[in-house]
């Protein structure tokens, strides 16, 4: 069984989107280099160091967990998330036309969604890609690693990545300096 990790691209002051859900300059790093990483229906042109990280995510992620809000904002990625994995959406209210997304499961509750994603992923990893879902999963103790692609921009306000309600200690980071983003990978410390 693979690990469960979170990954978000975040402004230096801790936001994953502006107040109106716009992403501003957050994803400039996806087109800031000359090394190509092929996602599912998407091509990323990143620097060499970022390419190693991004290629690992594409190769090892077997399922992605997202919240309903992100799913709605992206229109379910047209049932083809850029990492190429099936998606499990945490929601109390699946869309009436849920069959429009055959590679997407709609599950009530974070713990149940992570369990379902683990089943879907098999031996591969599970990525949690929504801030609120990530916070709940951290509180449930089901996250093995927290990943942040830290971008050199200050939003001043917006949607925060972290708003955890409990104390959580992480191990020392693996730091991957890239162009337009510094990638940080923190293993979750187990007591």
């Amino acid at each position: 069984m693979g690990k469960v990790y979170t990954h978000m691209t975040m402004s230096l002051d801790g936001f994953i989107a502006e107040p109106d859900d716009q992403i501003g300059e957050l994803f400039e790093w996806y087109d800031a280099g000359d090394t190509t990483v092929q996602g599912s229906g998407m091509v990323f042109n990143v620097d060499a160091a970022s390419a190693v990280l991004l290629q690992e995510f594409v190769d090892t992620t077997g399922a992605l967990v997202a919240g309903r809000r992100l799913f709605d904002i992206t229109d379910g990625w047209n049932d083809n998330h850029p990492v190429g994995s099936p998606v499990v959406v945490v929601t109390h209210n699946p869309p009436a036309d849920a069959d429009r997304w055959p590679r997407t499961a709609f599950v009530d509750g974070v713990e149940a969604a992570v369990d379902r994603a683990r089943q879907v992923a098999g031996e591969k990893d599970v990525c949690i890609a929504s801030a609120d879902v990530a916070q709940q999963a951290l509180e449930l103790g089901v996250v093995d690693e927290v990943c942040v692609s830290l971008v050199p921009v200050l939003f001043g306000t917006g949607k925060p990545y972290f708003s955890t309600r409990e104390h959580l200690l992480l191990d020392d980071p693996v730091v991957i300096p890239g162009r337009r983003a510094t990638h940080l990978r923190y293993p979750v410390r187990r007591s």
Side-chain angles (χ1 to χ4, degrees), residues 97-153:
D97 60 348
D99 59 342
R100 182 176 150 211
W101 298 277
R103 298 185 71 224
T104 302
F106 299 92
V107 178
D108 190 0
V110 171
E111 193 165 22
V114 171
D115 288 344
R116 176 74 176 271
R118 283 182 172 167
Q119 292 169 0
V120 170
E123 295 298 315
K124 288 189 163 190
D125 296 339
V126 170
C127 177
I128 300 173
S130 289
D132 188 54
V133 174
Q135 292 305 310
Q136 292 177 61
L138 283 164
E139 290 175 5
L140 288 167
V142 298
V143 175
D144 300 305
E145 184 176 77
V146 174
C147 303
V148 178
S149 292
L150 191 62
V151 175
V153 62

Side-chain angles (χ1 to χ4, degrees), residues 61-95:
T61 301
L64 185 114
V65 178
R68 176 66 189 267
R69 179 184 168 121
L70 179 60
F71 177 82
D72 288 344
I73 289 170
T74 64
D75 192 30
W77 299 277
N78 293 318
D79 208 35
N80 190 22
H81 189 275
V83 298
S85 300
V87 176
V88 178
V89 177
V90 179
T91 183
H92 300 297
N93 300 306

Side-chain angles (χ1 to χ4, degrees), residues 1 4 15 25 29 43 47 74 89 98 114-115 122 128 149 160 165 174 178-179 186 189:
M1 180 174 290
V4 175
F15 299 106
E25 301 85 1
W29 70 276
V43 175
D47 62 274
T74 64
V89 177
V114 171
D115 288 344
I128 300 173
S149 292
R165 293 170 287 277
V174 172
R179 189 172 303 138
Y186 295 92
R189 185 175 284 185

